[in-house]
């Protein structure tokens, strides 16, 4: 069972990177016509922080016994639910990129023909991609029964959300004005109808 869970965790991580790479390739074409960039160095650092906070604990859990101190008792059915939620969060992550289309970027920027997306998942929440990161972080503890596989990524996402969301919304308000203001009235930030 442990080998099965380790293989699945690695598979989820690799699929995540493949999805990201695919959209980064598309971004290489669209980013040439950007008209505004916000705090690129800070944004790059946040991106790296999140990346490390996900990848390093996963690799330690799979390939070493360093994180054994953080192992907690958990029934197998919870691990299985974690695996299903893991694939769901991956699909959710893919959908957010897909629905953002050419407007997507890994850091904060506005492109020449930037379109405000307010449909699909975006009709309910303004930051579904960050919500998918939070879900992705949470499912780790269900799959591994080890709180150290969740804590660093969870903290990194919370830090990222606190720093990035206000800057991103300010940038979007400056760009789209009343349209974004109205969109803010109709949607929540991270959890539909709640927050
Ligand atoms: N915060 C969003 C998008 C993350 S990608 C999410 O969590 O899904 C970051 C880029 O998306 C930003 O540079 C911004 O230009 C763009 N963006 C954010 N919200 C957008 C929206 N509703 N429509 C179009 N572009 C958006």
């Amino acid at each position: 069972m442990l080998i099965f869970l380790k293989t699945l965790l690695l598979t989820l991580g690799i699929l995540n990177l493949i999805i990201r790479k695919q959209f980064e390739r598309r971004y290489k074409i669209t980013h040439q016509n950007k008209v505004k960039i916000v705090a690129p160095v800070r944004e790059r650092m946040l991106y790296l922080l999140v990346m490390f906070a996900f990848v390093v604990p996963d690799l330690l859990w799979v390939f070493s016994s360093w994180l054994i101190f953080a192992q907690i008792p958990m029934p197998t059915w919870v691990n299985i639910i974690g695996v299903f939620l893991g694939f769901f969060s991956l699909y959710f992550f893919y959908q957010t990129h897909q629905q953002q289309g050419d407007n997507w970027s890994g850091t904060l920027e506005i492109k020449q023909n930037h379109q405000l997306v307010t449909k699909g998942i975006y009709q309910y929440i303004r930051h579904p991609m960050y919500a998918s990161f939070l879900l992705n972080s949470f499912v780790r503890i269900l799959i591994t029964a080890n709180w150290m596989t969740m804590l660093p990524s969870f903290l990194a996402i919370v830090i990222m959300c606190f720093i990035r969301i206000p800057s991103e919304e300010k940038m979007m308000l400056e760009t789209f004005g009343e349209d974004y203001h109205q969109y803010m009235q109709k949607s929540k930030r991270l959890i539909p109808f709640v927050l």
Side-chain angles (χ1 to χ4, degrees), residues 20 27 36 38 43 96-97 99-111 114-119 121-123 125-133 160-161 164-165 168-169 171-172 175-176 180 183 189-190:
R20 192 76 180 195
Y27 168 78
K36 188 188 264 183
V38 174
E43 288 304 318
T96 58
H97 281 80
Q99 291 181 15
Q100 276 265 316
D102 289 342
N103 305 299
W104 179 77
S105 53
T107 51
L108 293 185
E109 59 187 55
I110 297 290
K111 296 167 189 164
H114 208 110
Q115 307 279 324
L116 178 62
V117 179
T118 58
K119 293 277 180 293
I121 311 172
Y122 285 85
Q123 122 186 39
I125 44 176
R126 299 191 289 282
H127 306 286
M129 200 174 291
Y130 309 154
S132 83
F133 292 161
M160 189 199 82
C161 284
R164 188 188 252 215
I165 289 179
E168 183 169 329
E169 293 190 341
M171 175 186 83
M172 297 302 281
T175 310
F176 294 99
Y180 196 75
Y183 172 49
R189 274 180 163 164
L190 291 165

Side-chain angles (χ1 to χ4, degrees), residues 1-24:
M1 186 67 188
L2 190 60
I3 290 287
F4 171 70
L5 292 173
K6 284 186 173 183
T7 310
L8 272 167
L9 189 73
L10 274 185
T11 308
L12 282 170
I14 291 167
L15 288 175
N16 203 300
L17 289 178
I18 291 175
I19 291 174
R20 192 76 180 195
K21 271 277 157 271
Q22 189 192 328
F23 285 94
E24 274 174 3

Side-chain angles (χ1 to χ4, degrees), residues 148-186:
M148 268 304 287
T149 59
M150 181 185 119
L151 190 66
S153 54
F154 193 77
L155 288 178
I157 303 293
V158 169
I159 291 170
M160 189 199 82
C161 284
F162 268 102
I163 296 176
R164 188 188 252 215
I165 289 179
S167 293
E168 183 169 329
E169 293 190 341
K170 183 168 170 281
M171 175 186 83
M172 297 302 281
L173 270 172
E174 283 166 7
T175 310
F176 294 99
E178 189 50 28
D179 284 350
Y180 196 75
H181 186 72
Q182 281 187 12
Y183 172 49
M184 287 175 93
Q185 308 294 311
K186 291 188 207 139

Side-chain angles (χ1 to χ4, degrees), residues 32-51:
Q32 277 142 5
N33 59 8
K34 54 189 169 229
V35 290
K36 188 188 264 183
I37 309 172
V38 174
V41 177
R42 183 197 74 192
E43 288 304 318
R44 201 72 210 155
M45 303 288 273
L46 282 176
Y47 179 84
L48 288 175
L49 171 75
V50 170
M51 180 92 171

